[in-house]
């Protein structure tokens, strides 16, 4: 047994990405006695989504007391909903203090990975070299690869044009005519932040969003001191927020409970937008919650400012100095900001991760990502995905999801050790059962029945992005490993 454990500790684990999930995984592995860890990060700094999204106004839309690692509470949050620089600094500090930063190889973008059944190892390639490892953890984030909108003429635009997740701070916006394409979570944060400085702001809205008010305020110094001296108080707050979000989630699955939420978003819009025509243009026709429910107190007030024009039409064409919207109007602009979202259901790495049978994740998924516990995939031994298919949340903190998945990974690694094996993958029957359970959970939800087209749905119409239940159920389902659901190389069944 001791020999087996010593062997297990020698395993090399490669983690792609140094965002919340990658850092949480590395810490969990270290605490479990596994030290041979490599983290590959394509950017020059850690933070994942919180490194990539540096646009003005970028902040978390889940309360920071909940959107932090369970074992690293931060008494120093200065706002109930921290802004991006503070979140990135928090993650960097935790990674430094727990010795994770030296494990990160920056500027290493993974271009492919192939499982070798003979050696029972993964070969992971980057532009600079090939890494041969025993276990591969994909912690590269579901919201990390921007989708530029597919609009004719976009590449002919003469001025600066960039995605919110690729913000170019060298472009001055002061006194410029700026267009924002999109009205999702990123757009509604960037619009109020830049509205006061631009000369004119065109907001191109293809589909309006439902927006909730948010309880955001500066945390006074005395409270931060209190949290430092009595950490239990912040833990109590975290617990209250957790249960609050679990409660708020119920209407997503039970239409009967939706009335108060519908009244709240309607009232928020009515109070903040007095002009009836503008209000009508900002009112969605789909059910509340079908697309991601947004939270903001300053989006509607920004839209009502005299230098802002809401254009409630899709952008049909881009000319070198203007955008043309579906109503035929031409809007001259100097800068284009693309708040057009991310590749969620067709992850960029899926075609280049090659499993046991020589097939890629994209070949196996056929446009609809599926994984056992959102974490492992039949035919892909020793591959783990953090924040993988059906692990997303529209209502609470993804950090808790990543931590629960990390526990699952440790459990599977222990199982491999116990069985004296080299690799593990889920049985396809177990994976099918899990996917059926998730799909049944979605079947009557607002995400499927709410009358909208959202980024939660893949090209087959399946919701492969979200977990359909509460966070508590995710933890209960995923943290514990059901040994019978996993095949190891020692099994004759394979
Ligand atoms: O992207 P989105 P996002 N022509 O996909 C429009 C997370 N996040 O970056 O609705 C015109 O939501 C598109 O229009 P439509 C959060 O999970 C978290 O805003 O498809 N418009 C839509 O309005 C969030 O949900 C934080 O009709 C086009 C917009 O672009 C997720 O990231 C902060 C278009 C895309 O909205 C994604 O948010 C920010 C076209 N051709 C984001 N193509 C936190 O605080 C697309 N659009 C944690």
């Amino acid at each position: 047994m001791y020999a087996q454990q010593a062997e297990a500790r020698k395993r090399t684990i490669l983690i792609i990405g140094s965002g919340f999930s990658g850092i949480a995984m590395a810490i969990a592995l270290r605490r479990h006695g596994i030290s041979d860890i490599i983290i590959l990060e394509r950017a020059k700094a850690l933070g994942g989504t919180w490194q990539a999204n540096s646009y003005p106004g970028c902040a978390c839309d889940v309360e920071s007391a909940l959107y932090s690692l369970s074992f690293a509470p931060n008494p120093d949050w200065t706002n109930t909903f921290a802004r991006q620089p503070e979140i990135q600094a928090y993650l960097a500090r935790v990674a430094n203090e727990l010795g994770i930063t030296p494990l990160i190889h920056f500027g290493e973008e993974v271009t492919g990975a192939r499982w070798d059944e003979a050696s029972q190892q993964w070969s992971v390639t980057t532009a600079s070299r090939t890494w041969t490892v025993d276990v591969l953890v994909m912690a590269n984030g579901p919201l990390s690869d921007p989708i530029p909108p597919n609009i004719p003429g976009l590449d002919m635009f003469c001025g600066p044009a960039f995605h919110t997740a690729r913000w170019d701070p060298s472009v001055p916006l002061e006194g410029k005519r700026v267009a924002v394409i999109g009205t999702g979570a990123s757009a509604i944060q960037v619009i109020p932040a830049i509205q006061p400085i631009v000369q004119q702001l065109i907001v191109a809205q293809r589909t309006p969003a439902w927006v909730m008010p948010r309880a955001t305020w500066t945390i006074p110094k005395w409270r931060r001191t209190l949290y430092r001296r009595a950490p239990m108080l912040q833990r109590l707050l975290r617990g209250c927020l957790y249960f609050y979000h679990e409660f708020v989630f119920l209407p997503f699955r039970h239409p009967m409970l939706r009335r108060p939420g519908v009244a709240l978003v309607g009232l928020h819009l009515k109070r903040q937008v007095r002009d009836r025509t503008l209000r009508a243009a900002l009112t969605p026709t789909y059910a509340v919650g079908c697309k991601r429910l947004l939270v903001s107190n300053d989006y509607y007030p920004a839209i009502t400012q005299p230098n802002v024009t809401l254009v409630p039409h899709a952008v049909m064409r881009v000319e070198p100095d203007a955008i043309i919207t579906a109503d035929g109007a031409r809007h001259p602009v100097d800068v284009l900001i693309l708040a057009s979202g991310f590749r969620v259901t067709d992850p960029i790495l899926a075609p280049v991760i090659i499993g046991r049978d020589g097939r890629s994740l994209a070949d196996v998924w056929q446009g609809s990502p599926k994984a056992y516990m959102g974490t492992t995939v039949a035919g892909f031994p020793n591959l783990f995905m953090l924040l993988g298919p059906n692990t997303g949340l529209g209502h609470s903190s993804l950090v808790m999801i990543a931590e629960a998945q990390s526990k699952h990974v440790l459990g599977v690694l222990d199982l491999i050790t116990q069985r004296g094996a080299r690799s593990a993958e889920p049985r396809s029957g177990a994976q099918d059962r899990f996917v059926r359970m998730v799909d049944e959970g979605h079947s009557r939800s607002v995400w499927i029945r709410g009358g909208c087209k959202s980024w939660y749905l893949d090209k087959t119409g399946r919701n492969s992005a979200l977990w359909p239940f509460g966070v508590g159920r995710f933890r209960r389902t995923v943290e514990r490993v059901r040994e019978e659901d996993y095949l190891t190389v020692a099994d004759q069944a394979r």
Side-chain angles (χ1 to χ4, degrees), residues 49-50 53 55 58-62 67 82 87 143 147-151 163-165 181-189 204-209 214 286 291-295 313-316 338-342 344 393-394 398 453-456:
T49 197
W50 297 107
N53 287 276
Y55 58 82
C58 182
C60 191
D61 49 20
V62 176
Y67 195 91
I87 301 171
L143 295 162
I147 323 181
N150 185 16
I151 303 173
H163 192 276
T164 40
I181 298 182
T183 49
S186 304
I188 75 153
Q189 292 186 338
Q205 170 194 271
R206 189 166 64 179
T207 317
R214 97 193 205 148
Y286 55 83
K291 276 175 180 280
R292 170 132 181 165
L293 185 53
L294 307 184
V295 282
H313 301 286
V315 179
M316 299 310 284
L338 313 172
S340 45
F342 299 88
V344 179
L393 300 175
L398 271 184
K453 189 169 167 290
S454 76
W455 60 259
Y456 300 150

Side-chain angles (χ1 to χ4, degrees), residues 138-251:
M138 295 175 68
N140 46 308
L143 295 162
S144 53
D145 293 300
I147 323 181
N150 185 16
I151 303 173
L154 188 56
D155 49 349
M156 308 293 277
F157 186 68
C158 287
F162 47 83
H163 192 276
T164 40
R166 299 286 181 271
W167 192 264
D168 184 349
S170 70
V171 175
L173 299 180
E174 286 80 2
K176 295 277 166 49
R177 295 168 303 175
V178 178
V180 174
I181 298 182
T183 49
S186 304
I188 75 153
Q189 292 186 338
V190 81
I191 287 167
I194 62 172
Q195 173 274 322
I197 60 167
V198 302
Q199 183 206 99
Q200 201 202 352
L201 186 59
I202 306 288
V203 176
Q205 170 194 271
R206 189 166 64 179
T207 317
W210 287 114
V211 182
M212 292 245 298
R214 97 193 205 148
T216 178
W217 54 75
T218 305
I219 301 175
K221 207 166 165 215
W222 65 264
R223 231 168 88 186
R224 287 183 255 149
T225 310
L226 191 64
Y227 287 152
R228 199 167 309 112
R229 298 214 176 126
M232 269 314 290
L233 289 177
Q234 200 180 26
R235 290 213 173 270
L236 190 66
L237 171 66
R238 183 181 166 98
C240 292
L241 288 168
Y242 169 77
F243 285 111
Y244 164 74
H245 284 282
E246 291 290 85
F247 179 71
V248 165
F249 167 72
L250 295 175

